Amino acid sequence: MDGTEATRPWHDDPPSVGAVLVSHNGARWLPQVLASFSDMTYAPSHWRVVDVASTDGSADLLRDSFGADRITYAPSGTGFGDAVRLALRDMPETDWIWLLHDDASVLPGTLSGLLDTATSAPDIGAVGPKIREWPSLRRLLEVGLTVTGTGARETGLETGEPDAGQHDRPRDVLAVNTAGMLVRRDVWLELDGLDPELPMYFDDIDFGWRLARAGYRTVTAPAAVIFHAESTRRGTRPRTAGDVPPWERRRAALHTQLANTPMPRFLWQYVRLFFGSLLRVIGLIIGKDPEAASDELLAVRSAYVHPVRLARARRRRARTARRPQREIRDLFAPFWLPYQHGLDVVRHTVTSLVKPEAVATVGRRSTVVEQAPDDAVGLDDGPSLLVRRPWFTVVLVLVVLSVLAGRGLLSGGLNGGALPPAPDTAGGWWQLLFERSHDVGLPSTSLPPLFALPLAVVSTPVWFAPGLVVTAFMVFAVPLAALTAHRLGRLLSPHRGPRIVWAVSYGLIVLATGAVSDGRIGTVVALIILPIVVNTAWQLAVRPGWQLGLRLGIWIALAAAFAPISLVLGLGALVVLALTGRRAGRALVIALVAAIVLLGPWLVQRAARPWRMWWEAGYPLPGAATIQDVVLGRTGEGHVPGWLSVALIVLAVLALVPRSTRTGVQLAWIGALLGLGVALAGTLVTYSTPAGPADIVPWVGVPTALWLGGLATAVLLAVPAASSWPRPALAAAVVAALLLPVGAGVVWVVQGSGDPLDDERPDTVPVYLAERPGSTLVLTGSVQDGVDYRVVTGEGPFLGQEALTPSASDTSRLSATVRRLLAQSAGEDVQALSSFGIDAIYAPRADDELARRIDAAAYLSPSGSDEPGSRVWTVTGDPEREQVSAPLWHVLLTGLQVLAWLIAIVLTLPVRRRTGPASPTTEEDTTA
């Protein structure tokens, strides 16, 4: 006897073991499984085999191995627990029962290892082996089981975790898999075996839960190893009539939770699982997995419409429960684990958007057959991260430079220039969408701006700090735009170096327009989206389809929500596509209709006065670009020097010369000229807002960036032809191509991203005026050039409120009152201001003539101001404000628009189809 045998006291009085093998169409694995039984160092005392209506020759293999007298034949549809009952009825009584699957092979010492642990303490009721993957034989599948409060089966293992001895210490667990489970016969009889209500799934979890409540222990025996093919879960076992439906897995999880959870927690679980399942259905529908959504609904129906059956199951468990639930709570998964899985899914989704994985994984263990760790190929190996991951390195550098350039702007409270501050919480944007009356100075019942919807959605996870979303867009505009451009660049060019330079150049073009420093969030978001629009249009031209057309319409609508002029550019792009890609005609119509429908009332409000299409998200600050500025890619003074883009224009012209790349270069030039034409038109027109008569020169940042981006794309597309140029000419071209990104990057880092953008408190009105009960009339401009006004409540509007317009009657009455006040300085006009709820007048840059006329009006008292050059007057008397409310259809229309966006997005998602008999999950199959 060796040393190992000496440590086994059960050898002196060996316990009897009855082995039960259940088979159902397992001929694919049975030859190896049966062969593994013939070489065990300690074999079972008795064998019994149950064949469940196999049609693949499994019964013949079993008869040849065990003989006809040891086989029991069960009808189709017999569950694993019932099959074991049939076997035990015809098998002599034994001390232990060993449950086996037809797709799980054993090692010679498997049963001995189980008995070593099983006989080590009198309160052990069941033990389970270490289960490794078949056919890899190396990776772990299970070393014990538990369950979360949401009904998810947990192994506690990482995805593809290899067996390196890290789980070789026996430990108490909630349950072990029925594949290889060794259970005391008296415990089995006391608990009446596996629950017949769980014919295939969760029977092991349920049995272990009942066993623990009965006062027994379930322990792992890592010294015992089996290899499991998991044929049912992987879909490799043929399905036949009588097999359980795919939704049985989820129904079994719900039944196990509801049948075993004690009072009073049962009441909470009953409600939680019901509504949680409904939320899962909604999520699965949004994720375009209708089969899984249907399975979830069927599982809920089956689990909840049979309360009598559930009550009987709970009574049966109550009869054997001698141990309170609190004493076994350490055997369950921590409460936070489902939330971690949710975060893992989000992280996996985001990762797949950046770089799709070759193998999909869910949860803590892989759900598909993967390579063994030491069989992995294609691992990157290089001298540095820059060589191995150049684009990743560039993005990291851009992020660091963004933080450096955005010094002082990272507190999450950006405002200044054209950018109003964010609301105090994300609820401000949601309220803006659905409230019937807006408190924005004058009462407003207008429909909300569409860009409030994506801002509300994105800021909901950071509910109490929505300014972080605005900060992310503004401070990290360059890397965000470069990321979307690089994704487009993969379609445009196979040359990595030029593609990276082009993507970085585009990101810096966004900066060069001055959109960041001026607080033009509409331009920033639209230019981040622009490469995605072009990417989708490119795919649509290559392989037309209604889904791509709808997706294109969604992206155009999203860009136009922030910068309405993007719709004009998008329409131009659709015309170009229609002329160059005739096959995509129907898809282009879908894109156009989708964009118009999704923009809805927002488009109608702007299209009613077409030049207001230039009014982007934020304050309508005038632009200052001349024709020369636009041609050089500038939008006004104080931004990146225009001479930096001269080299780009020259290179783009030279890109037209090579014939081999001329077609693509010409398309890039068409896009560039489209942007140039729209930008030049913007320098020739003006628009006005409902708040005042002053004419506003449009800001042309979006079309100007399209002009420069088109030129850069033309250069990128000509790179293959330029490779044959003489070395000096090629070197000169490279230097010229780097001039704009390097120069713009230096200006960016040195000057920073601020001024006038900052993260200080907005100075729309002095602090003491913001705290007054009434509103403040803010006057800007001069008597000679025109006076613009707006009415401010509190500290001023947050982002989105600046786009709301008061009623036409109130606006006209207030405009007439302001005109009369400035013309006649009459006291009755000041009293009229009080009827609008105005109790102060503020002129931040007071024109002398304007101040003189207001000083002459009665019922106004000059007050001090904390800003040099500004003037404040307060109105005597208490202000009165009329309360108005929009009709209910405004709220319904907004709800329909939100629903339209949701439906459109869902329709563009790919539909997932079930590839096997059940949807892949993190659960293990519990039967052969």
Side-chain angles (χ1 to χ4, degrees):
M1 178 179 296
D2 60 20
T4 302
E5 292 176 341
T7 63
R8 294 172 172 169
W10 57 268
H11 272 201
D12 297 333
D13 184 17
S16 58
V17 178
V20 177
L21 173 65
V22 179
S23 175
H24 172 60
N25 286 335
R28 176 177 175 180
W29 307 277
L30 276 175
Q32 291 172 270
V33 171
L34 297 175
S36 70
F37 294 156
S38 63
D39 194 28
M40 289 188 291
T41 57
Y42 184 80
S45 311
H46 303 278
W47 283 92
R48 198 70 198 177
V49 180
V50 180
D51 182 76
V52 183
S54 295
T55 59
D56 64 346
S58 297
D60 296 333
L61 293 172
L62 295 172
R63 274 194 303 269
D64 293 341
S65 179
F66 292 100
D69 57 332
R70 292 183 178 178
I71 300 178
T72 299
Y73 298 96
S76 177
T78 301
F80 186 83
D82 287 337
V84 174
R85 287 185 180 84
L86 292 175
L88 295 179
R89 184 187 60 188
D90 299 327
M91 188 173 67
E93 289 192 8
T94 57
D95 299 322
W96 295 86
I97 302 170
W98 193 23
L99 306 183
L100 297 166
H101 292 190
D102 62 354
D103 60 347
S105 65
V106 303
L107 291 177
T110 298
L111 182 55
S112 297
L114 289 171
L115 287 171
D116 287 343
T117 301
T119 59
S120 63
D123 58 349
I124 295 178
V127 294
K130 178 196 301 181
I131 302 180
R132 297 208 302 230
E133 187 181 53
W134 183 9
S136 80
L137 308 182
R138 282 182 286 236
R139 281 192 274 190
L140 290 169
L141 295 182
E142 292 178 11
V143 191
L145 295 169
T146 188
V147 67
T148 68
T150 57
R153 186 183 180 93
E154 288 295 334
T155 65
L157 303 175
E158 297 297 331
T159 301
E161 183 175 341
D163 183 10
Q166 68 273 35
H167 298 286
D168 281 359
R169 186 183 298 272
R171 62 188 180 93
D172 284 25
V173 293
L174 178 66
V176 292
N177 200 304
T178 54
M181 176 194 292
L182 184 68
V183 56
R184 277 170 44 185
R185 187 179 184 110
D186 59 331
V187 174
W188 176 275
L189 295 177
E190 178 183 340
L191 300 178
D192 197 22
L194 302 178
D195 188 350
E197 295 289 342
L198 302 170
M200 178 174 289
Y201 302 111
F202 272 83
D203 48 356
D204 46 9
I205 294 284
D206 173 78
F207 184 77
W209 198 336
R210 289 188 286 128
L211 185 145
R213 289 293 306 277
Y216 301 101
R217 296 164 55 202
T218 299
V219 184
T220 60
V225 178
I226 69 170
F227 303 96
H228 197 189
E230 297 186 295
S231 56
T232 300
R233 186 185 62 80
R234 294 170 184 255
T236 55
R237 184 188 300 276
R239 288 184 60 85
T240 61
D243 289 350
V244 298
W247 51 265
E248 168 61 24
R249 187 190 305 270
R250 181 59 180 167
R251 185 209 70 83
L254 295 174
H255 177 84
T256 300
Q257 284 285 335
L258 297 176
N260 289 282
T261 302
M263 296 290 280
R265 182 173 172 79
F266 165 77
L267 300 176
W268 160 244
Q269 276 292 79
Y270 193 85
V271 176
R272 175 195 187 191
L273 291 175
F274 179 79
F275 287 102
S277 295
L278 296 184
L279 288 176
R280 281 168 57 95
V281 170
I282 295 173
L284 291 168
I285 292 175
I286 293 176
K288 297 296 287 292
D289 196 348
E291 291 178 334
S294 175
D295 290 347
E296 188 76 20
L297 284 175
L298 291 171
V300 172
R301 185 192 67 177
S302 178
Y304 278 81
V305 300
H306 299 290
V308 175
R309 183 174 64 188
L310 179 61
R312 285 199 300 264
R314 291 182 59 80
R315 284 196 298 270
R316 287 196 300 269
R317 285 156 177 77
R319 285 195 293 266
T320 60
R322 296 189 295 271
R323 194 177 181 187
Q325 179 75 15
R326 64 177 178 274
E327 292 185 9
I328 63 171
R329 61 186 178 185
D330 292 341
L331 302 178
F332 291 85
F335 74 92
W336 45 260
L337 195 57
Y339 306 104
Q340 177 182 320
H341 288 337
L343 292 176
D344 290 342
V345 171
V346 172
R347 182 186 62 187
H348 172 74
T349 302
V350 173
T351 302
S352 65
L353 291 175
V354 177
K355 182 181 179 181
E357 299 292 338
V359 179
T361 61
V362 178
R364 296 177 63 86
R365 192 174 63 75
S366 175
T367 59
V368 296
V369 179
E370 302 167 333
Q371 286 182 310
D374 45 335
D375 292 335
V377 296
L379 296 178
D380 294 317
D381 186 18
S384 67
L385 180 64
L386 178 61
V387 174
R388 290 183 286 117
R389 291 285 187 268
W391 174 238
F392 177 73
T393 306
V394 169
V395 172
L396 286 181
V397 172
L398 290 178
V399 170
V400 172
L401 293 178
S402 297
V403 174
L404 180 62
R407 48 194 178 274
L409 301 178
L410 300 175
S411 66
L414 290 186
N415 68 92
L419 180 66
D424 294 332
T425 69
W429 278 319
W430 286 113
Q431 182 179 355
L432 181 66
L433 289 169
F434 292 101
E435 65 185 355
R436 297 175 65 181
S437 179
H438 310 292
D439 185 14
V440 289
L442 291 179
S444 175
T445 59
S446 62
L447 291 166
L450 183 58
F451 63 80
L453 175 59
L455 288 176
V457 172
V458 175
S459 63
T460 296
V462 286
W463 185 270
F464 295 103
L468 292 177
V469 174
V470 177
T471 299
F473 278 126
M474 302 304 291
V475 174
F476 299 101
V478 173
L480 288 174
L483 282 169
T484 59
H486 186 262
R487 197 166 184 85
L488 170 62
R490 293 174 180 174
L491 295 178
L492 300 178
S493 174
H495 302 281
R496 175 184 289 180
R499 186 173 66 217
I500 291 177
V501 173
W502 174 81
V504 173
S505 298
Y506 178 80
L508 291 168
I509 285 172
V510 177
L511 176 84
T513 63
V516 175
S517 59
D518 285 352
R520 312 271 185 175
I521 189 172
T523 295
V524 169
V525 175
L527 293 181
I528 292 173
I529 295 173
L530 179 60
I532 304 176
V533 173
V534 178
N535 192 327
T536 309
W538 184 289
Q539 297 179 56
L540 183 62
V542 174
R543 45 184 179 89
W546 69 268
Q547 277 190 314
L548 280 174
L550 181 57
R551 190 175 301 161
L552 178 59
I554 291 173
W555 286 117
I556 291 176
L558 185 59
F562 285 88
I565 198 63
S566 301
L567 181 62
V568 177
L569 298 172
L571 292 178
L574 292 181
V575 171
V576 173
L577 273 179
L579 295 177
T580 57
R582 298 176 183 176
R583 296 184 305 157
R586 184 171 63 178
L588 294 178
V589 172
I590 293 175
L592 176 61
V593 173
I596 293 174
V597 170
L598 293 176
L599 288 171
W602 177 242
L603 175 62
V604 174
Q605 289 178 352
R606 294 302 170 91
R609 297 200 176 176
W611 298 128
R612 285 186 187 167
M613 298 290 284
W614 289 103
W615 185 7
E616 301 179 354
Y619 295 127
L621 294 188
T626 64
I627 293 177
Q628 179 181 348
D629 288 333
V630 170
V631 173
L632 294 178
R634 305 174 72 229
T635 55
E637 297 294 335
H639 301 145
V640 174
W643 57 266
L644 289 176
S645 59
V646 173
L648 177 62
I649 297 174
V650 173
L651 288 177
V653 172
L654 293 177
L656 291 167
V657 176
R659 291 185 176 182
S660 59
T661 57
R662 186 175 297 169
T663 301
V665 171
Q666 286 176 339
L667 285 175
W669 264 97
I670 291 174
L673 292 175
L674 173 63
L676 178 63
V678 174
L680 292 176
T683 64
L684 303 176
V685 301
T686 60
Y687 70 94
S688 63
T689 68
D695 290 332
I696 300 173
V697 177
W699 159 265
V700 294
V702 174
T704 300
L706 177 59
W707 157 243
L708 289 182
L711 296 179
T713 304
V715 175
L716 175 66
L717 293 174
V719 165
S723 59
S724 60
W725 288 5
R727 186 178 297 273
L730 186 60
V734 171
V735 172
L738 292 175
L739 189 60
L740 177 60
V742 172
V746 171
V747 173
W748 175 38
V749 174
V750 173
Q751 293 185 354
S753 300
D755 191 21
L757 189 68
D758 61 50
D759 62 350
E760 301 295 331
R761 174 196 168 275
D763 56 355
T764 308
V765 296
V767 176
Y768 74 94
L769 290 183
E771 296 174 352
R772 290 173 64 91
S775 301
T776 302
L777 178 67
V778 180
L779 301 177
T780 56
S782 64
V783 174
Q784 180 180 357
D785 298 328
V787 176
D788 195 4
Y789 73 84
R790 53 186 170 131
V791 182
V792 174
T793 299
E795 293 185 348
F798 60 74
L799 181 59
Q801 287 184 328
E802 81 288 345
L804 299 174
T805 58
S807 67
S809 60
D810 286 344
T811 301
S812 60
R813 287 194 300 116
L814 181 58
S815 297
T817 301
V818 173
R819 282 195 299 269
R820 290 196 304 270
L821 175 65
L822 298 179
Q824 305 172 3
S825 304
E828 55 268 23
D829 294 322
V830 176
Q831 293 177 328
L833 292 180
S834 183
S835 67
F836 290 102
I838 297 172
D839 67 352
I841 299 176
Y842 176 55
R845 291 173 295 277
D847 174 62
D848 292 339
E849 179 62 20
L850 175 67
R852 186 189 65 79
R853 296 188 181 190
I854 297 177
D855 282 334
Y859 305 111
L860 285 177
S861 301
S863 298
S865 175
D866 52 5
E867 291 292 332
S870 64
R871 293 288 304 275
V872 176
W873 300 265
T874 57
V875 180
T876 59
D878 295 330
E880 300 178 1
R881 179 175 299 176
E882 180 183 358
Q883 298 297 325
V884 295
S885 182
L888 182 60
W889 65 264
H890 275 207
V891 178
L892 297 177
L893 185 61
T894 301
L896 289 175
Q897 194 171 16
V898 173
L899 183 61
W901 276 88
L902 180 60
I903 292 174
I905 293 173
V906 169
L907 288 176
T908 61
L909 297 175
V911 178
R912 292 186 288 175
R913 299 292 184 187
R914 182 177 295 124
T915 57
S919 299
T921 67
T922 58
E923 301 170 9
E924 310 300 324
D925 59 324
T926 58
T927 187

